[in-house]
Amino acid sequence: MEQRCQQLFALIGGALCLFFLVRCIGFLKYLFPRAWGALPASFFKSMGEWAVVTGAGDGIGKAYSFELARRGLNVVMISRTESKLQIAATEIEESTGQKVKIIQADFTKDNIYADIKNGLEGLEIGILVNNVGMLPNAHPSRFLDGCQNHTGLVNCNILSVVKMTSLVLGQMEQRKKGLILNISSGVSNYPCPLYSAYSASKAFVTVFSRALQAEYKSKGVIIQAIMPYGVSTQMTKNQKPNIITKTPDDFVRQSLNYVTFGDHVFGSLAHEILGRIMNCIPLWVLHNDWVQNKCMERLRIRLQVDGKAEEKKNSKA
């Protein structure tokens, strides 16, 4: 009996060692993405003639528009503020030589998709980046203390992904190729206090993307949820970039190296490491009242400091 118990424990120990070894080997692809599975220079252009990017007026959406144009695609930029779109479109056309089409749309509304469909008519769309999104409140806060525009949040963060995907997925399936990148968030991985509605909306994006990939992988379409943590954008009050907080351009370039790495990624090496650390923290720690209060205090101070620094920088300019 004792010998059998020893054999059982040895078997369990060996299985655990093998599991962690496989996980470690799998992580090497994020350290050396080009060596692991280098994409040919023509990969993105081979998906189709046009890329469509939502929330493209600034931040991550604008960075994706620029980078995909540099990689040979014409770009349809969709966002709420037409003036920002026109400026970005001119910059992209002049710097890359690619065609750019703009469509003005407010994704907090649900009556915009007929116009978007008409604007995309006749275009061979190879890539869709569902980037548009919003925070329900500028600062971390409990649900009842935040913004009450729940309809706008659902329309922008959830409905936009479903509707835009339904507009382009059919032609990708027919051509048996295409790439859909759905920008989720690192906080979609767990119930995140102080960002409850936001993390729940992004959890939908992640689960929706993974389920769709299971449905359409055999059709030749790549669908991936990208779950960033810190990226310095207007939505995050233009926080100062550091080892965790990436500039939009840096984040986008890294994330495009990972498009064949599975149905969900964090999008950059630093965020992959942080994501694995966060997944090891028990929920009772994150859900503790003391932790929540400290997080609110520290994040608000940080946002105020970064905001003042940005104002000072703009005043000097």
Side-chain angles (χ1 to χ4, degrees):
M1 183 66 180
E2 183 178 351
Q3 185 177 4
R4 287 184 179 179
C5 287
Q6 289 177 349
Q7 290 174 344
L8 177 61
F9 287 132
L11 182 61
I12 293 173
L16 287 173
C17 290
L18 180 61
F19 171 77
F20 285 112
L21 177 61
V22 171
R23 294 294 296 270
C24 290
I25 292 174
F27 186 74
L28 290 176
K29 63 186 178 184
Y30 298 104
L31 291 172
F32 310 104
R34 297 185 185 279
W36 188 274
L39 297 173
S42 61
F43 173 82
F44 294 96
K45 191 174 181 179
S46 71
M47 295 290 104
E49 185 180 358
W50 288 83
V52 176
V53 183
T54 66
D58 52 27
I60 294 175
K62 182 179 177 181
Y64 270 112
S65 300
F66 264 96
E67 190 61 30
L68 291 172
R70 292 187 189 104
R71 300 190 187 207
L73 287 97
N74 300 320
V75 181
V76 180
M77 304 177 70
I78 310 177
S79 193
R80 177 174 56 185
T81 308
E82 189 171 3
S83 58
K84 287 184 178 181
L85 288 175
Q86 289 174 340
I87 293 171
T90 300
E91 292 175 359
I92 292 172
E93 288 178 334
E94 290 179 351
S95 63
T96 68
Q98 298 299 129
K99 299 177 184 177
V100 179
K101 181 174 184 176
I102 65 172
I103 299 176
Q104 189 277 328
D106 182 354
F107 283 97
T108 64
K109 313 297 182 183
D110 63 0
N111 60 351
I112 61 175
Y113 295 98
D115 289 339
I116 293 176
K117 182 178 180 181
N118 291 335
L120 300 180
E121 193 71 35
L123 302 182
E124 182 189 69
I125 299 170
I127 298 176
L128 168 64
V129 181
N130 280 315
N131 163 73
V132 70
M134 62 176 285
L135 281 168
N137 39 280
H139 302 290
S141 60
R142 293 188 170 90
F143 180 70
L144 293 178
D145 299 328
C147 172
Q148 300 302 306
N149 184 17
H150 305 310
T151 300
L153 176 74
V154 170
N155 286 342
C156 188
N157 291 10
I158 295 177
L159 187 64
S160 66
V161 176
V162 176
K163 289 283 194 177
M164 291 303 301
T165 299
S166 69
L167 288 179
V168 306
L169 183 57
Q171 63 165 275
M172 292 179 176
E173 182 184 18
Q174 289 178 354
R175 298 198 321 271
K176 298 188 182 302
K177 59 182 177 180
L179 172 63
I180 298 177
L181 302 176
N182 294 327
I183 309 304
S184 180
S185 170
V187 299
S188 71
N189 253 5
Y190 49 88
C192 184
L194 311 182
Y195 290 106
S196 54
Y198 179 76
S199 68
S201 70
K202 290 302 185 178
F204 173 90
V205 174
T206 298
V207 174
F208 178 68
S209 304
R210 298 180 68 182
L212 275 187
Q213 178 64 126
E215 292 178 9
Y216 288 92
K217 185 176 182 179
S218 63
K219 309 291 186 181
V221 181
I222 299 172
I223 302 169
Q224 184 183 75
I226 302 177
M227 308 179 298
Y229 277 96
V231 181
S232 179
T233 66
Q234 187 174 4
M235 190 169 76
T236 59
K237 305 301 181 184
N238 298 305
Q239 294 180 27
K240 186 177 180 181
N242 52 44
I243 191 170
I244 296 297
T245 303
K246 301 296 181 182
T247 66
D249 291 340
D250 186 29
F251 176 79
V252 165
R253 280 193 296 268
Q254 288 192 51
S255 72
L256 289 177
N257 290 330
Y258 298 163
V259 295
T260 58
F261 283 10
D263 58 15
H264 65 295
V265 296
F266 289 96
S268 75
L269 177 59
H271 293 184
E272 292 288 342
I273 295 171
L274 178 59
R276 282 160 172 73
I277 294 173
M278 292 299 296
N279 286 341
C280 294
I281 299 176
L283 281 180
W284 64 263
V285 174
L286 298 175
H287 292 182
N288 180 274
D289 278 345
W290 183 85
V291 173
Q292 292 179 48
N293 291 331
K294 284 297 180 182
C295 284
M296 282 194 291
E297 180 182 345
R298 290 180 64 85
L299 285 172
R300 282 173 177 167
I301 292 173
R302 180 179 175 184
L303 289 172
Q304 288 172 0
V305 170
D306 289 344
K308 290 179 180 178
E310 185 66 21
E311 288 178 7
K312 186 176 181 181
K313 178 181 177 182
N314 292 336
S315 64
K316 288 183 178 179

